[in-house]
Amino acid sequence: MSILVNKDTRVVVQGITGSAGLFHATQCREYGTKVVGGVTPGKGGTEVEGFHVFNTALDAVKETKANTSLIFVPAPFAADAIVEAVDAGINLVVCITEGIPTLDMIKVKRYMEGKKARLIGPNCPGAMTPGEAKVGIMPGYIHLPGRIGVISRSGTLTYEAVWQLTNLGIGQSTCVGIGGDPVVGSTFIDVLKLFEKDNETDAVVLIGEIGGSAEEEAAEYIKKKFSKPVVAFIAGSTAPKGKRMGHAGAIISGSSGSAKDKIMALERAGIKVTPSPAEIGEAVKEVLS
Amino acid sequence: MNIHEYQAKELLAKYVPAGKVAFTPEEAYQIAQDLRCTKLVVKAQIHAGGRGKGGGIKLANSPDEVRRIASEMLGMRLVTHQTGAEGKIVRKVLIEEASDIERELYLGVVIDRSTERIVLMASPEGGVEIEEIARTKPKKILKEYVDPALGLLPFQCRKIAYFLGLNGKTANKAVNLISGLYQAFVDNDCSLAEINPLVVTREGDVLALDVKLNFDDNALFRHPEIEKLRDPEEEDPTELEAKKWGLSYVKLNGNIGCLVNGAGLAMATMDIIKYYGSEPANFLDVGGGASTEQVTQAFKMILRDQNVKAVFVNIFGGIMKCDTIATGIITAAKEVGIKVPIVVRLEGTNVELGRKMLAESGLNITTGADMREAAAKAVAAAGGKLS
C-alpha cells in the first residue's frame, strides 16, 4: 500500500522550465513516475523534453488529471505556488524550494487548515515509494522496495540512512523528507499517522535534528499511539547554541531544541536512538529480529 | 540576521527614549548637549546581551561625563555571558536620555514553531531573561497567539496591557506600543522582536529601554533596507565569506575539518567524529551540488583554521556523478596546496571510478568505503582520540 505516493500518483511539476525543475522532472520520469506535465506562467502551450507546459496549476489539473504537484518555484514565489496547487484541487503538494520566508509559510499553513490537501516540505527532498514513484530530488537507485518507513528533516542524511538499509537488504515502504524549515507542511506526527495505518510498513526510521520541538512531540505521540517499532537518529549533538546549522530550522535557541533533550524524550518513549549515524541500518535490523 | 540596539530603536522610533548613536567621544558629547537633559545613559553597541554587568551601560549627569565614559567605552573589549571569553570590541555607543524608571516589564514577539503562529509573550517581571522567568515564575508569562488571517487584534493588546498591571493612560500607551512592535515584526519579517526591559516611567510613560530585533534570513531578499544594517564587524569573517559562495560554515574548536553536502549530513558528520573520540573543527555544508568552485572555496576556509590536522570530506552525491566530485576535490586540493591528510567518503553514481581517481591523484587522500570507516580513518589521521 505505502503512503503518499504510488503507481497512481500523477505529478505536475510547478517551475518545470527552470533548470532544477526540468532536470528533476526528467529524473522522476526515468524512475517510472507518471509526470503528466508542468506549470510555468507565460509558457502555457509549449513543450519541454516532452512535458506539456501549462500557464496555471488549474489548467494542468483539468487537462492531465494530476493529483500531485512537485514545486521548484524560486523562494519568493513558492508560497503562492503552493496555494495555487491546493486551490487547483491537488491532493499532495511536495515543495522542494529552499529559502521560503517563515511568515509566508505561516500564512500557507493557515490557508490549508481544514482542507484535505497535504503539503510535504518545503526545503525537503520529497517523497518516494521505491519501485512505484519518486516525487522529489532523491537518487532513485539507493532505494529498495520493502517494509520500512523513513521520515526525516534532512536530505542527504536521509539518503545515508536509506543506503544503509538497502545495503543490508532491508527495503523501504515510503521515504518522506519533511523538510528543514521552522514551519513545514507535514510534521513527524502527520507522517507517523499515515505509517501507523499502512499495513505494508512494519517499522519506521525517524531522523531528526536540533531546533524546535517536533521530535519531542513525535516521541509523545509514539508513546501513546504508535504501535510499530521506531529507530531514531538526531543530528547535531555537537552543534553549538545559537548558530543556524545550514537548515533554517536547525538552531538551538536558548535552552530549547538541543539534541540531548530530543534523544532523552525519544528514549523515554521507548524508542531506540542510535548514537552513531553510521549505525541506523543495523539498529533497524536489530529491531526487526 | 542580527542588528544593533540603536538600529532597532530607529525602527521603533515612536516608542523609545530620545537618543542617538555616536562613533567618537566628541560625537557623544554633542548628542548629549543636544538632548538637553540632566540624566543620560551611555550604552555600548555590540551584538550580545548582558552588557550592564560587563560595564557596557553607564549613567552620566552631564555632556562632559558622557564624553569621558564614551572615550573609555569606545575601543574596549566588552565581555558578557553571551560574548564568550574573547569578548567584543565596542565601536559605537548609544547616548540616551535616562528614564525615571518605576517598573520594568517584558514584551517579546517570536514564532512558535509548534502552533505555527506568531506569539506575543509578556511578563510583569522585566529586566531578566524570559527563559529565567519561564523557569522560575511560569505563571508570570502571558502568551497571546496571533491568527495569521486576522493579525493581532486590539483586545489581545488590551489583555496584555492589563496583565502587565497597567491602567488608564499608561495602558493605552502600552496598547499602542504592543501593536507597534507586532507591526514592526510583520513588516520587517522578524524572527524575534524583544523589548526587555519595557519600562513604565514615574510620569506614566511606556518606553522601550532595550530593543532586540532578529530577522528571518530567508526574507532578506524583500528587505534590502534591513540588509544594509548588517554590521560586518559583528560577524565572523569566514562565515560571511562562506555565505558569498553559497556555503554554510560555522567555526568550532576541534581539529578535524569537515566538508559535507547537505546540512543534516554535515551535522551527522560532526557527531560521528565526536563519537569516534575526536572533535570537529567546523560545520560546513557545500549544498546539494558541491561544484568544483564551491569545494575549492570550502577547502580554503577549512585550512585557514590552524587547528585543523585532517579534513574529512563526506559527500553523498546521489544523482551527482562521483567522478565529477572527485575531479572537484582533486582540482581544489591541488589549487589550495593541502598539507594535511584528507579522508574522503564518496557515494553516488560511478563511485568506483571516483575512488580510483582519488587514489591515483598522487595527493595525500585516503578513501573510506562508508561513513563509519571514513570517520575512524579521519580521527586516526588527525592524531587519534583526544583525551
Side-chain angles (χ1 to χ4, degrees):
Chain A
M1 198 173 81
S2 71
I3 65 166
L4 297 168
V5 295
N6 56 35
K7 287 194 200 84
D8 301 323
T9 295
R10 297 173 64 81
V11 181
V12 59
V13 175
Q14 289 175 267
I16 197 163
T17 53
S19 63
L22 186 57
F23 175 75
H24 288 291
T26 312
Q27 290 278 329
C28 290
R29 180 172 62 186
E30 274 173 22
Y31 189 80
T33 313
K34 293 188 188 80
V35 182
V36 295
V39 177
T40 298
K43 296 201 176 154
T46 63
E47 206 172 275
V48 280
E49 300 282 337
F51 297 112
H52 292 289
V53 183
F54 299 89
N55 276 326
T56 67
L58 189 61
D59 287 349
V61 170
K62 275 188 188 158
E63 290 293 320
T64 67
K65 299 198 170 57
N67 54 19
T68 300
S69 155
L70 179 59
I71 297 180
F72 291 94
V73 171
F77 320 107
D80 182 47
I82 296 170
V83 176
E84 182 184 355
V86 175
D87 180 70
I90 292 280
N91 288 327
L92 177 70
V93 183
V94 177
C95 184
I96 306 299
T97 309
E98 178 173 5
I100 303 177
T102 308
L103 291 184
D104 287 8
M105 279 313 300
I106 284 179
K107 286 187 197 146
V108 166
K109 289 304 297 280
R110 176 67 171 90
Y111 169 79
M112 292 185 76
E113 264 174 35
K115 296 193 167 55
K116 71 176 199 311
R118 177 182 298 282
L119 171 66
I120 300 291
N123 190 12
C124 78
M128 157 114 188
T129 295
E132 295 199 26
K134 168 176 126 75
V135 183
I137 59 172
M138 62 291 274
Y141 75 92
I142 62 169
H143 298 79
L144 179 73
R147 305 184 59 87
I148 303 298
V150 179
I151 324 172
S152 170
R153 279 169 69 186
S154 158
T156 47
L157 182 55
T158 316
Y159 310 163
E160 172 67 42
V162 168
W163 187 233
Q164 287 176 25
L165 291 171
T166 296
N167 281 333
L168 290 170
I170 303 168
Q172 307 91 41
S173 52
T174 303
C175 303
V176 188
I178 58 171
D181 279 355
V183 174
V184 290
S186 299
T187 61
F188 282 124
I189 295 177
D190 294 328
V191 182
L192 282 167
K193 282 180 183 166
L194 301 178
F195 276 133
E196 174 68 19
K197 278 189 283 187
D198 178 30
N199 54 25
E200 289 183 357
T201 297
D202 294 337
V204 168
V205 173
L206 183 152
I207 299 170
E209 63 189 31
I210 55 162
S213 55
E215 292 80 3
E216 284 90 330
E217 286 149 25
E220 198 58 31
Y221 168 79
I222 291 167
K223 198 162 116 188
K224 287 187 183 140
K225 291 183 176 158
F226 197 71
S227 66
K228 305 176 184 185
V230 178
V231 166
F233 174 74
I234 302 295
S237 288
T238 48
K241 274 187 185 178
K243 286 277 186 187
R244 171 175 155 174
M245 306 300 277
H247 290 154
I251 180 164
I252 305 171
S253 23
S255 58
S256 80
S258 76
K260 200 176 141 206
D261 288 352
K262 291 172 188 296
I263 292 168
M264 264 168 50
L266 290 163
E267 284 179 342
R268 242 184 277 129
I271 296 157
K272 184 172 176 62
V273 185
T274 61
S276 160
E279 285 160 23
I280 299 168
E282 279 152 33
V284 173
K285 196 175 169 185
E286 230 172 83
V287 162
L288 291 179
S289 63
Chain B
M1 192 190 132
N2 213 339
I3 59 173
H4 287 290
E5 176 195 7
Y6 78 93
Q7 295 168 318
K9 282 182 169 168
E10 282 167 11
L11 289 170
L12 287 173
K14 268 191 267 178
Y15 313 104
V16 300
K20 252 179 147 176
V21 69
F23 296 82
T24 64
E26 254 345 282
E27 269 178 33
Y29 174 81
Q30 202 52 52
I31 292 163
Q33 280 230 313
D34 295 346
L35 282 172
R36 297 178 184 286
C37 54
T38 49
K39 283 192 174 162
L40 295 135
V41 59
V42 184
K43 305 174 86 178
Q45 299 295 289
I46 57 165
H47 284 184
R51 293 170 297 172
K53 281 185 197 136
I57 297 176
K58 288 196 166 148
L59 290 166
N61 294 313
S62 70
D64 282 317
E65 204 182 347
V66 165
R67 177 165 48 199
R68 183 179 58 74
I69 294 170
S71 68
E72 286 165 10
M73 232 179 243
L74 286 162
M76 83 182 256
R77 193 175 284 274
L78 185 55
V79 180
T80 80
H81 70 283
Q82 286 185 6
T83 60
E86 70 274 23
K88 285 198 163 185
I89 305 269
V90 180
R91 297 172 201 275
K92 40 209 161 245
V93 290
L94 176 63
I95 315 300
E96 272 181 359
E97 179 177 1
S99 309
D100 203 357
I101 301 167
E102 192 173 83
R103 289 182 57 208
E104 295 195 338
L105 316 168
Y106 174 91
L107 181 64
V109 189
V110 290
I111 285 161
D112 182 70
R113 290 168 63 160
S114 303
T115 56
E116 297 164 344
R117 294 273 192 273
I118 293 174
V119 59
L120 277 82
M121 294 187 293
S123 174
E125 308 274 330
V128 286
E129 281 178 34
I130 186 72
E131 298 196 322
E132 174 73 23
I133 309 171
R135 198 167 50 242
T136 55
K137 298 171 185 168
K139 284 189 178 149
K140 294 276 188 182
I141 298 176
L142 175 72
K143 290 185 179 179
E144 273 298 307
Y145 295 88
V146 182
D147 185 325
L150 300 173
L152 181 69
L153 295 171
F155 86 88
Q156 294 182 293
C157 300
R158 291 196 297 273
K159 215 166 135 185
I160 293 170
Y162 294 134
F163 176 79
L164 292 173
L166 307 175
N167 45 47
K169 277 188 182 157
T170 309
N172 291 343
K173 285 175 183 168
V175 162
N176 285 334
L177 189 150
I178 293 161
S179 79
L181 184 68
Y182 168 79
Q183 208 52 52
F185 185 97
V186 174
D187 290 348
N188 297 296
D189 275 288
C190 289
S191 52
L192 168 98
E194 189 176 65
I195 301 178
N196 191 21
L198 169 70
V199 301
V200 181
T201 66
R202 286 195 207 289
E203 299 82 44
D205 267 336
V206 181
L207 284 176
L209 208 59
D210 190 6
V211 183
K212 187 177 173 189
L213 297 182
N214 286 351
F215 301 89
D216 178 1
D217 289 328
N218 285 352
L220 287 175
F221 69 85
R222 58 188 175 205
H223 301 289
E225 74 289 354
I226 301 289
E227 181 66 54
K228 278 189 203 140
L229 300 179
R230 190 187 289 278
D231 183 349
E233 281 172 344
E234 290 287 336
E235 299 190 29
D236 183 278
T238 312
E239 287 175 24
L240 275 183
E241 193 190 332
K243 241 173 250 166
K244 233 176 16 202
W245 293 98
L247 308 169
S248 188
Y249 173 95
V250 176
K251 166 115 179 58
L252 301 167
N253 297 321
N255 61 7
I256 300 182
C258 304
L259 194 164
V260 191
N261 69 329
L265 190 62
M267 277 188 271
T269 303
M270 289 158 42
D271 296 345
I272 201 170
I273 288 171
K274 173 96 174 173
Y275 183 72
Y276 281 103
S278 196
E279 293 280 346
N282 64 276
F283 165 90
L284 198 154
D285 171 14
V286 291
S291 70
T292 302
E293 194 176 43
Q294 282 179 315
V295 173
T296 308
Q297 290 305 325
F299 269 128
K300 284 186 184 164
M301 278 170 207
I302 291 170
L303 294 167
R304 212 172 292 157
D305 180 350
Q306 298 295 319
N307 294 336
V308 170
K309 299 280 178 285
V311 181
F312 182 5
V313 180
N314 189 8
I315 305 280
F316 205 112
I319 287 168
M320 288 185 64
K321 292 194 176 82
C322 285
D323 45 327
T324 312
I325 300 167
T327 309
I329 295 169
I330 294 165
T331 312
K334 281 189 177 153
E335 196 191 319
V336 181
I338 299 176
K339 304 278 190 300
V340 299
I342 306 174
V343 180
V344 179
R345 181 282 176 107
L346 267 186
E347 207 56 72
T349 43
N350 297 348
V351 63
E352 291 307 327
L353 179 59
R355 284 188 196 143
K356 191 163 164 262
M357 289 167 66
L358 290 170
E360 291 168 0
S361 66
L363 294 162
N364 188 1
I365 296 178
T366 320
T367 56
D370 55 24
M371 195 165 167
R372 180 190 340 227
E373 189 186 305
K377 282 184 176 174
V379 170
K385 283 188 187 184
L386 300 173
S387 50

